[in-house]
Amino acid sequence: MADIIDPAVGDYLLTHCTPADDVLRDLAAETWAKLPGAAGMQVSHDEGALLTMLVRLTGAEYAVEVGTFTGYSSICIARGLRPGGRLLACDVSDEWTAMARDYWQRAGLTDRIELRIAPALDTLRALPAEPLIDFAFVDADKTGYPDYYDALVPRLRPGGLMVFDNVLRDGRVLDPRDESDRAVAGLNDRIVTDERVDSVMLPVRDGVTLIRKRG
Ligand SMILES: C[S@@+](CC[C@H](N)C(=O)[O-])C[C@H]1O[C@@H](n2cnc3c(N)ncnc32)[C@H](O)[C@@H]1O
């Protein structure tokens, strides 16, 4: 594991953004208590705060999430949407997203979030081909990233924003070791030459790429 940021500085960052409320704190605690082997997949609170801020800044009404797990990032996204906004949450796990459903209810977000249990690529490809999506967050199987990108770009409205998580793969994009590393490294290279978008990669946790559609 490469620590991009000194762990002590990482802790400092966690305590210097808008604090988590009880819903997010309880969700993180329950995820770690019930799913200790998988809980590390959850976005950190500072990344969640970044998602809420980006959704608000883009004025998004329609968002898509690829990789919901127990719901932390989905709550952060849904809370940033304009009144009446909608989030389509994609995952393959009924078990993990059952916890997400509980917390959506507790957060008063049930009417804003639609969960689709299916391989996310099927869900994305079944969406209308028009550019209707304002905001997308991708945080699922890494080998799927190139396909998610290809499915999302045409469906993103001009000025819309996509956020891809784990784009540094603990630093292994410099020297890819497995299929997931290669898929992410290959996509990272492709994004910078894609004339449809502007992008910037941020050293937030395991790396986050912001991709804005031109137009
Ligand atoms: C890193 S976790 C997502 C964490 C989440 N963003 C959060 O903040 O808690 C990845 C999720 O992607 C889901 N996933 C894996 N492969 C998938 C696929 N082909 N389609 C949809 N979801 C998938 C997993 O079930 C898992 O819940």
Side-chain angles (χ1 to χ4, degrees):
M1 289 262 292
D3 280 322
I4 295 156
I5 289 180
D6 183 299
V9 176
D11 290 345
Y12 186 83
L13 293 173
L14 276 178
T15 53
H16 289 81
C17 55
T18 305
D21 67 351
D22 286 349
V23 175
L24 289 175
R25 258 197 302 271
D26 290 353
L27 171 56
E30 188 173 339
T31 302
W32 280 98
K34 293 192 173 158
L35 301 166
M41 295 200 296
Q42 188 168 63
V43 296
S44 60
H45 180 63
D46 54 338
E47 189 173 343
L50 175 66
L51 290 172
T52 305
M53 177 149 323
L54 291 172
V55 173
R56 287 210 174 111
L57 286 172
T58 50
E61 281 187 28
Y62 179 39
V64 173
E65 174 179 76
V66 178
T68 296
F69 188 44
T70 59
Y72 202 104
S73 51
S74 61
I75 290 174
C76 296
I77 294 166
R79 282 179 166 170
L81 294 170
R82 281 194 182 176
R86 307 273 307 153
L87 170 65
L88 175 65
C90 306
D91 207 288
V92 285
S93 172
D94 271 315
E95 183 204 339
W96 289 340
T97 55
M99 200 188 297
R101 286 183 191 276
D102 288 346
Y103 278 86
W104 293 339
Q105 182 140 27
R106 205 177 134 187
L109 294 169
T110 304
D111 60 342
R112 290 192 154 210
I113 305 176
E114 180 193 344
L115 176 64
R116 211 66 70 77
I117 297 290
L121 192 57
D122 295 348
T123 301
L124 296 179
R125 285 181 174 162
L127 294 175
E130 294 98 81
L132 300 174
I133 299 172
D134 299 308
F135 184 90
F137 178 55
V138 177
D139 183 22
D141 53 312
K142 307 311 166 201
T143 52
Y145 271 32
D147 285 336
Y148 299 143
Y149 181 82
D150 289 333
L152 282 166
V153 173
R155 292 174 170 86
L156 196 68
R157 74 163 167 78
L161 188 72
M162 294 194 293
V163 179
F164 277 66
D165 198 13
N166 305 111
V167 296
L168 294 175
R169 303 281 301 152
D170 291 327
R172 293 190 306 277
V173 284
L174 299 176
D175 183 15
R177 290 183 211 159
D178 64 17
E179 214 188 323
S180 295
D181 295 347
R182 277 187 287 278
V184 173
L187 178 62
N188 289 345
D189 290 345
R190 194 146 67 83
I191 288 170
V192 291
T193 59
D194 186 342
E195 296 194 343
R196 297 171 297 175
V197 301
D198 293 307
S199 71
V200 62
M201 198 177 273
L202 305 177
V204 174
R205 300 295 154 184
D206 190 27
V208 161
T209 303
L210 308 188
I211 303 149
R212 183 180 183 273
K213 188 164 171 186
R214 291 177 180 165

